[in-house]
Amino acid sequence: MFDNLSDRLDSVFKKLKGHGTLTENNIEDGLKQVRLALLEADVNYKVAKNVISDIKARALGQEVMQSLTPGQQVIKIVNEEFTKMMGSTHQELSFAATGATSIMLVGLQGSGKTTTAGKLAHFLRKIGRKPYLVPVDVYRPAAIDQLTKLGKQMDVPVFASTTDMKPLKICQDAKLAARDLGCDTLLIDTAGRLHLDDTLMAELEDIKKGINPAETLLVADAMTGQDAVNIAGEFDKRLDISGFVLTKMDGDARGGAALSIKAVTGKPLKFIGVGEKNTALEPFHPDRMSSRILGMGDTLSFIEKAVEAVDQKEAKALEKKFRKNQFTLEDFKNQMQQVRKMGSIKDLLGMLPGVNKKMLKDLNINDKEFIKIEAIINSMTPEERTKHAIIKASRKRRIALGSGTSIQDVNKLLKSYTQSMKMMKKFNKGGMNSLRSMLPF
């Protein structure tokens, strides 16, 4: 996401940082390139014009001209203005003060409403809410079936809608059913159309008037670029949208919709969909996204993912094992599973400050290798996992056969594990001095 924009901005800022002092011409040339980069990223042209105007006003002032590091100061200003353009701060979901909260999901057909309903259910449960999925798309039986299947997979209750029911009646009955089930948040998956029409809007207006939802979220496909922003404007006029969810952000190399939507509509982008899994929905933080675009990393999101994935008790127990050199292949597997929970290794590396994006592109990390390693360890006996030294040729053949891998793969894993153990032993013996001696700088 935003790869092309990040690459363009990186080359602009390298040139600016190359100048010991910055002149008005240097800054204006640099900002022209930033404006072109924004337009190429499919940012709304008025939004691009306004943000460049704001950056220029600050960049040509004393803030930059009298700075000892003018190039860095310009980047700081761009970061702050990009953050402001995207909404300044993350907007949390609103919940009703009393009774069940209704969250209404609207959007065109194919935008990812039903999948987003499932992802939101997972997110809500994570923050201590009890979600209830309500399929209201009575025109497409497949949509009702899809949401029902998602609910079963996640063990989230789903209202039993049928195609002969009226949408508003479904919502009203679902509210009563949610109360009986002890659910506090209804996720209403409304019907979509291939294009905007009065019939669709009238139906959505009736539902909104009838249930008075705490949130009306428009789900839009980020791949459609500025069309998503235009659709957002039309829905907002009729339904007074409270926020947006942009799906398929993992596939959108340009990202113009995410950068423009708040500035054009005045309504916040609350979530972004970054993958197919139910866990692949992230709250949208403008400041963190701006840092990521400018190659400064996103340490806070990295820490949040780590805290979510790592079991604290297990981590303390593992620390003791490290100190006593008792780290087994079973522990190795458990650690690997926790890292996998955090997401793709490339994505995680991309969140770290100072990591070169070009280097990441060239880095060939196959996340499927983790599955292979897990299969190899699973094919070992409990004794083999705790005493790796007993794994000789015949055992290696059996493990390779049982895991569907080769003896070379088994050898590779054992070699990596033994090297890790040697490093741990060296560190435990010599403390920080040993660690320093292993560093290449």
Side-chain angles (χ1 to χ4, degrees), residues 35-80:
R35 184 169 177 268
L36 275 173
L38 289 173
L39 293 173
E40 281 179 13
D42 203 23
V43 173
N44 179 284
Y45 76 97
K46 284 183 183 172
V47 173
K49 185 182 173 185
N50 291 341
V51 77
I52 292 299
S53 172
D54 292 342
I55 294 168
K56 187 177 176 181
R58 289 180 63 187
L60 293 177
Q62 292 183 355
E63 194 177 346
V64 169
M65 295 306 197
Q66 293 181 8
S67 170
L68 292 172
T69 53
Q72 290 289 0
Q73 201 64 29
V74 170
I75 295 169
K76 179 176 175 282
I77 291 168
V78 171
N79 186 22
E80 288 168 1

Side-chain angles (χ1 to χ4, degrees), residues 211-231:
I211 61 166
N212 190 27
E215 292 272 5
T216 306
L217 300 177
L218 173 71
V219 181
D221 181 349
M223 299 289 280
T224 58
Q226 283 309 299
D227 279 347
V229 179
N230 297 333
I231 290 161

